Amino acid sequence: MEFQEVVRRRRMVRKFTSEPVSEDSVRRIMRNAVRGPSAGFSQGQAFLVLQGDDVRRFADTLRSWTLDESAKAAPVIVIPFSVKDAYLDRYAEPDKGWTDRSEDRWPVPFWYIDTGMAVLLILQTAVDEGLGAVYFGIGAEDFDNLRAEFGVPATHEPIGAIAIGHDADTKISAGASPAARRRKPESETVHFGQW
């Protein structure tokens, strides 16, 4: 699929068929996820890929599920984790010129930004694989339960989750924001040379 077609087709899919996702597709999605930018090549992202019974374990672990029940039918869930310490450690190394791990030096938390870029690569690769996907949040109150259930280190912060599967929606899901709102025109959001 051409890149522009991937960008045009990318949307949040909330209903999935029961058809499994091939292992080859899962592997390609995850290979692309780790190709995103990373400040100082800190590589402060990690991913937990859940399939089969682990998807149900994940759903049962959360106290709040922000999606419709049909999203729980997705055959694959990917949980991206941000690892702030990887960035603080990397930028305290001699070639970066900082001598400490202070967060005050960071104008914005790149550990979240870079992990968000990895999420977009996952969403785009799912489209390229002929699949649907939806990114959704995980409540902070569920972080410790999630870590305990799946053995995730305390240094890893989940920034949400992505359900992936074969799209059962033929159009925008009922209740989805794009069904009720129009995309802002480029003239309102893109400014060249001056606001």
Side-chain angles (χ1 to χ4, degrees):
M1 186 179 302
E2 292 292 322
F3 180 70
Q4 290 303 314
E5 184 71 6
V6 168
V7 172
R8 190 186 67 72
R9 287 179 148 193
R10 203 247 9 108
R11 65 183 173 85
M12 298 300 181
V13 171
R14 291 165 174 79
K15 292 183 182 168
F16 303 95
T17 70
S18 60
E19 183 181 351
V21 173
S22 77
E23 193 62 28
D24 285 344
S25 287
V26 172
R27 296 289 179 176
R28 272 190 292 276
I29 289 167
M30 298 317 302
R31 275 195 305 269
N32 284 354
V34 300
R35 300 292 302 180
S38 174
F41 209 47
S42 299
Q43 302 174 74
Q45 295 81 38
F47 305 90
L48 178 62
V49 179
L50 304 175
Q51 300 176 78
D53 292 339
D54 291 332
V55 171
R56 176 53 54 192
R57 272 179 58 212
F58 170 72
D60 291 345
T61 299
L62 302 184
R63 287 184 241 163
S64 63
W65 181 268
T66 60
L67 293 177
D68 183 275
E69 286 292 312
S70 60
K72 291 181 182 179
V76 179
I77 298 281
V78 176
I79 306 163
F81 293 87
S82 174
V83 187
K84 175 173 57 177
D85 285 346
Y87 289 79
L88 300 180
D89 290 346
R90 172 68 182 107
Y91 276 78
E93 292 178 14
D95 68 311
K96 289 299 177 189
W98 298 350
T99 58
D100 59 35
R101 299 175 74 249
S102 175
E103 289 181 52
D104 296 337
R105 298 183 188 281
W106 294 86
V108 293
F110 276 76
W111 38 95
Y112 296 133
I113 293 167
D114 291 350
T115 307
M117 291 187 200
V119 168
L120 182 57
L121 285 170
I122 290 169
L123 295 171
Q124 289 179 324
T125 306
V127 170
D128 195 48
E129 290 292 312
L131 300 166
V134 60
Y135 169 83
F136 59 95
I138 297 174
E141 68 275 8
D142 287 324
F143 288 6
D144 289 337
N145 292 339
L146 177 66
R147 287 185 191 108
E149 180 67 25
F150 292 98
V152 178
T155 55
H156 291 51
E157 185 174 3
I159 66 154
I162 305 138
I164 302 170
H166 292 273
D167 186 355
D169 285 340
T170 56
K171 54 185 185 241
I172 296 172
S173 304
S177 296
R181 299 173 54 102
R182 299 197 65 77
R183 186 175 303 278
K184 289 182 179 181
E186 185 178 322
S187 62
E188 288 184 23
T189 57
V190 179
H191 309 276
F192 292 92
Q194 182 80 22
W195 200 269

